[in-house]
Amino acid sequence: MTLSQAIRNDWTLDEIKEIYNRPLLQLIYDAASVHRQWHDPEAVQICTLLSIKTGGCTEDCSYCGQAARYHTDITVKALMKKEDVLSVASRAKAAGSSRFCMAAAWREVKDNRDFDRVLEIVKGVNELGLEVCCTLGMITEGQAEKLQEAGLYAYNHNLDSSEGYYNEIISTRTYDDRLNTLKNVRKAGISVCSGGIIGLGETHNDRIAMLHTLSNLPEHPESVPVNALARVKGTPLGDFPKVDSWEMVRMIATARILMPKAMVRLSAGRAEMTQEEQGFCFMAGANSIFTSESEELLVTPNPRLDEDRRLMNILGLKPLEKIQPVIS
Ligand code: SAM
Ligand code: DTB
Ligand code: SF4
């Protein structure tokens, strides 16, 4: 089989179920083999994440510590100033990061001065030579074009769960809204980053259905974050059980086999994993992680940079250089 023949957008639910349910070590072996056909298995993309606008969000995503309606103890912060974001981005670059992802606790982007400032920030980070990524909520076709012109490389917008389970988790927007934003992003020529979360109370069939939607998009997302629920006190899911790391491994391995070319990102959940558990995720095909200067992803803990460096040394992993030249 040639590599190009191996990319498929017509996976059936039964095929995905069969892969997902393989004996775990066999599944890891299969995923590791696919990983080696498509990627340098020693290279891990380091994405630095920064919350540029924190908390006070109007949405009701039941996992999220930034939704205004839940009583969490996070500090709400207005949109950061360009200079402040650029200093964090420069330090991230110096520390070996090739991608800089900025998150805002917004339902959607509005055509106002905040958006103008985000466009300026994107331009500045791009000029530093970093791949720029944003996650700002829903965006229109026109907004996606403006972001692309400002130098945005990728846009993160997760499906979060299956279409069937989505309404149990969020009521303030629909699955179709989510898919529509992904369409707008793709149309503007921006690289798509889309994945989901496990541990929200969904069934295995929901996880399989989410992977089915992602892997049957007209083009696979270039990057697929797999998050374990990061439990935040005060949110409806704050007391849910911790996600079993083997479930993360299973999810990552299945995503790797279905979407061989994508960067599969071991996202939220690392702070509660041992080195060995993270090691298995890399073995199963994860080749990207989030780091952050603040030692928090957005509002929950994430491993320190020096811990990540130590882990990468132990496992013989190295930071991936930029995937593609910066869009100018
Ligand atoms: N507000 C924007 C949005 O929701 O699209 C962008 C930021 S939001 C924090 C980005 C993604 O992070 C969410 O779609 C969700 O998949 C993930 N996320 C948020 N809170 C999480 C949590 N507590 N645990 C795991 N993943 C989480
Ligand atoms: C994604 O898939 N995971 C990141 C990023 N995209 C923006 C966010 C995870 C958030 C984890 C919980 C928090 O710290 O708020
Ligand atoms: Fe708002 Fe995004 Fe959190 Fe949902 S996930 S509450 S949209 S910040």
Side-chain angles (χ1 to χ4, degrees), residues 6-275:
I7 296 281
R8 287 183 47 193
N9 305 74
D10 60 352
W11 293 100
T12 66
L13 275 173
D14 281 345
E15 284 174 317
I16 300 177
K17 216 175 263 179
E18 182 278 315
I19 297 170
Y20 182 91
N21 286 315
R22 281 181 197 165
L24 189 58
L25 288 180
Q26 183 62 45
L27 175 60
I28 295 170
Y29 179 84
D30 294 341
S33 310
V34 171
H35 189 190
R36 275 148 188 76
Q37 273 187 286
W38 290 86
H39 302 269
D40 172 358
E42 288 177 14
V44 172
Q45 185 188 41
I46 311 287
C47 295
T48 299
L49 184 58
L50 176 67
S51 183
I52 57 170
K53 187 267 167 182
T54 309
C57 183
T58 54
E59 295 291 84
D60 69 351
C61 310
S62 39
Y63 49 77
C64 185
Q66 303 198 66
R69 66 189 73 202
Y70 308 135
H71 299 286
T72 62
D73 54 11
I74 65 140
T75 314
V76 174
K77 288 188 209 124
L79 181 63
M80 286 174 70
K81 302 240 157 11
K82 180 176 173 183
E83 304 72 56
D84 296 337
V85 177
L86 291 189
S87 348
V88 181
S90 312
R91 288 196 292 273
K93 190 181 176 197
S97 188
S98 57
R99 185 158 173 150
F100 193 70
C101 181
M102 295 173 280
W106 286 330
R107 165 188 166 76
E108 71 219 309
V109 168
K110 301 214 170 87
D111 293 303
N112 56 18
R113 279 167 34 198
D114 274 357
F115 184 44
D116 293 339
R117 193 191 295 175
V118 169
L119 292 172
E120 281 303 308
I121 294 174
V122 166
K123 204 157 164 253
V125 177
N126 184 43
E127 280 162 4
L128 290 174
L130 285 156
E131 264 179 29
V132 199
C133 177
C134 278
T135 178
L136 313 169
M138 297 185 278
I139 56 172
T140 64
E141 225 178 292
Q143 290 164 342
E145 274 164 23
K146 282 191 182 159
L147 283 162
Q148 195 276 337
E149 281 159 17
L152 190 78
Y153 180 80
Y155 196 81
N156 166 246
H157 201 65
N158 291 337
L159 292 183
D160 287 350
S161 197
S162 69
E163 182 168 17
Y165 196 63
Y166 193 79
N167 294 342
E168 304 288 323
I169 297 298
I170 299 145
S171 77
T172 46
R173 53 175 148 69
T174 65
Y175 212 62
D176 275 347
D177 288 334
R178 251 12 222 177
L179 289 167
N180 200 35
T181 288
L182 291 184
K183 212 183 285 165
N184 294 339
V185 170
R186 184 57 87 200
K187 203 160 171 202
I190 298 169
S191 173
V192 172
C193 172
S194 188
I197 314 174
I198 64 168
L200 307 176
E202 75 286 344
T203 62
H204 291 291
N205 280 341
D206 286 313
R207 295 178 190 172
I208 289 164
M210 180 178 80
L211 289 169
H212 181 250
T213 306
L214 286 170
S215 60
N216 284 342
L217 288 170
E219 271 179 84
H220 292 166
E222 281 75 11
S223 111
V224 179
V226 180
N227 294 276
L229 170 68
R231 297 163 298 168
V232 183
K233 272 215 163 49
T235 62
L237 310 188
D239 294 324
F240 268 36
K242 175 188 169 313
V243 170
D244 183 327
S245 297
W246 294 122
E247 311 233 327
M248 282 295 275
V249 171
R250 190 174 286 287
M251 208 53 198
I252 287 169
T254 310
R256 167 53 66 224
I257 293 171
L258 298 176
M259 295 168 277
K261 214 167 146 190
M263 304 299 292
V264 176
R265 185 167 309 135
L266 168 57
S267 304
R270 289 198 307 118
E272 293 193 86
M273 283 183 177
T274 61
Q275 289 186 330

